[in-house]
């Protein structure tokens, strides 16, 4: 497998992204997934790296036509000479990895998928997570904060894409990710990043109250 070809394809597919799911996000996820895999000492490297690079390119928040994106990806995987069994593993992972698709029922991913899911979720928290949340909020037209919006307790897939404030997104999702990590190595990294987000929120509300 020629990873440079995969990188080039993904870069082209995500070139117009302005939701925080650009090539740099995908590359951070691939690097983190590789690090987690080495620490755990398990998982198929090729499946992990390919799933990490490809995890956002058939997602409806990034591409308009998901069926078309899937067909193109199947063609590409064949062209890159990825064996059929591995193609199936990759599809199984990238079709079930997202937070919103696991709200109703948790899908059991193979270890390679668990690693990529942890890496993706680590990129949603900490300093980078804060930056991405506000970037996405701007794209979606969501306010920074407004206490007329309530924090929803048990999110459904529909709720998830409905309007709310970026600050509420921390309470509805981002602060919960630490306990949802599949692997202990990711949980440890998540702990530090979650602590940092809590400090940020404390500071945010201190400043907010001065204006009340
Ligand atoms: P997943 O791919 O796991 O379903 P998303 O793609 O929906 O997750 O979210 C990825 C990142 O986009 C989040 O971690 C966050 O940074 C940002 N994001 C998604 N929804 C919102 C939202 N309502 N408000 C702020 N940021 C959001
Ligand atoms: Ni992602």
């Amino acid at each position: 497998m020629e990873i440079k070809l995969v990188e080039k394809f993904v870069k082209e597919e995500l070139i117009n992204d302005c939701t925080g799911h650009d090539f740099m996000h995908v590359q951070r996820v691939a690097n983190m997934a590789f690090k987690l895999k080495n620490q755990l000492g398990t998982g198929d490297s090729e499946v992990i790296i390919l799933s990490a690079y490809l995890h956002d390119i058939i997602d409806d928040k990034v591409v308009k036509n998901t069926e078309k994106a899937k067909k193109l990806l199947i063609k590409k995987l064949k062209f890159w000479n990825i064996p059929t069994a591995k193609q199936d593993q990759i599809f199984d992972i990238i079709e079930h990895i997202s937070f919103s698709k696991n709200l109703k029922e948790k899908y059991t991913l193979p270890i390679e998928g668990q690693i990529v899911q942890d890496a993706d979720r680590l990129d949603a928290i900490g300093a980078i997570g804060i930056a991405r949340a506000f970037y996405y909020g701007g794209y979606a037209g969501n306010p920074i904060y407004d206490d007329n919006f309530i924090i929803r307790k048990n999110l459904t897939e529909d709720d998830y894409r409905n309007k709310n404030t970026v600050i509420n997104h921390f309470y509805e999702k981002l602060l919960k990710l630490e306990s949802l990590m599949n692997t202990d190595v990711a949980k440890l990294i998540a702990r530090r990043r979650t602590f940092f987000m809590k400090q940020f929120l404390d500071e945010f509300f201190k400043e907010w109250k001065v204006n009340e």
Side-chain angles (χ1 to χ4, degrees):
M1 188 227 350
E2 186 57 81
I3 195 70
K4 288 274 167 251
L5 290 180
V6 180
E7 282 184 19
K8 185 171 174 284
F9 168 67
V10 175
K11 213 176 245 176
E12 281 163 11
E13 289 298 298
L14 299 177
I15 197 122
N16 292 320
D17 178 82
C18 47
T19 68
H21 299 84
D22 59 354
F23 181 72
M24 290 295 138
H25 159 65
V26 165
Q27 200 162 51
R28 288 192 301 272
V29 173
N31 291 341
M32 178 59 80
F34 198 68
K35 177 175 151 167
L36 296 177
K37 180 221 166 291
N38 284 341
Q39 287 185 357
L40 287 164
T42 182
D44 180 310
S45 299
E46 198 174 43
V47 172
I48 291 172
I49 291 300
L50 282 168
S51 303
Y53 271 112
L54 301 169
H55 82 272
D56 270 332
I57 63 156
I58 57 163
D59 197 302
D60 57 7
K61 72 194 165 247
V62 177
V63 290
K64 278 198 197 87
N65 187 337
T66 51
E67 285 313 309
K68 202 171 138 200
K70 278 184 203 173
K71 280 194 188 129
L72 176 63
L73 183 55
I74 293 170
K75 232 168 78 179
K76 288 284 173 184
L77 287 167
K78 276 192 198 139
F79 179 71
W80 298 327
N81 290 320
I82 310 296
T84 323
K86 274 198 181 172
Q87 292 183 27
D88 293 346
Q89 277 176 286
I90 293 163
F91 261 90
D92 178 46
I93 292 170
I94 66 178
E95 284 188 312
H96 297 105
I97 204 168
S98 88
F99 182 76
S100 46
K101 294 200 178 70
N102 283 278
L103 283 168
K104 204 152 81 197
E105 202 179 332
K106 189 174 169 0
Y107 185 83
T108 308
L109 288 163
I111 186 64
E112 289 81 5
Q114 292 183 23
I115 289 172
V116 178
Q117 189 176 56
D118 280 357
D120 192 29
R121 289 177 170 180
L122 284 172
D123 208 56
I125 61 178
I128 290 178
I130 295 171
R132 288 182 70 219
F134 286 98
Y135 190 78
Y136 184 95
Y139 159 83
N142 293 341
I144 293 174
Y145 183 61
D146 175 345
D147 54 16
N148 290 307
F149 285 85
I150 56 156
I151 298 166
R152 297 158 298 185
K153 281 248 147 49
N154 294 305
L155 280 188
T156 64
E157 198 173 341
D158 278 346
D159 290 337
Y160 187 63
R161 292 289 171 215
N162 287 340
K163 217 174 187 62
N164 209 322
T165 71
V166 178
I167 290 293
N168 283 3
H169 188 66
F170 285 79
Y171 296 96
E172 291 183 341
K173 175 183 176 186
L174 306 181
L175 294 174
K176 293 181 179 167
L177 291 177
E178 178 187 340
S179 68
L180 294 174
M181 291 292 159
N182 301 297
T183 65
D184 286 342
V185 280
K187 211 168 257 193
L188 200 65
I189 305 171
R191 190 168 305 157
R192 182 191 153 94
R193 294 187 182 191
T194 302
F195 179 72
F196 183 74
M197 289 194 295
K198 285 182 178 162
Q199 282 183 315
F200 165 77
L201 290 166
D202 282 348
E203 188 62 24
F204 183 92
F205 283 111
K206 262 188 210 145
E207 293 178 16
W208 190 272
K209 287 202 177 95
V210 172
N211 296 321
E212 263 181 356

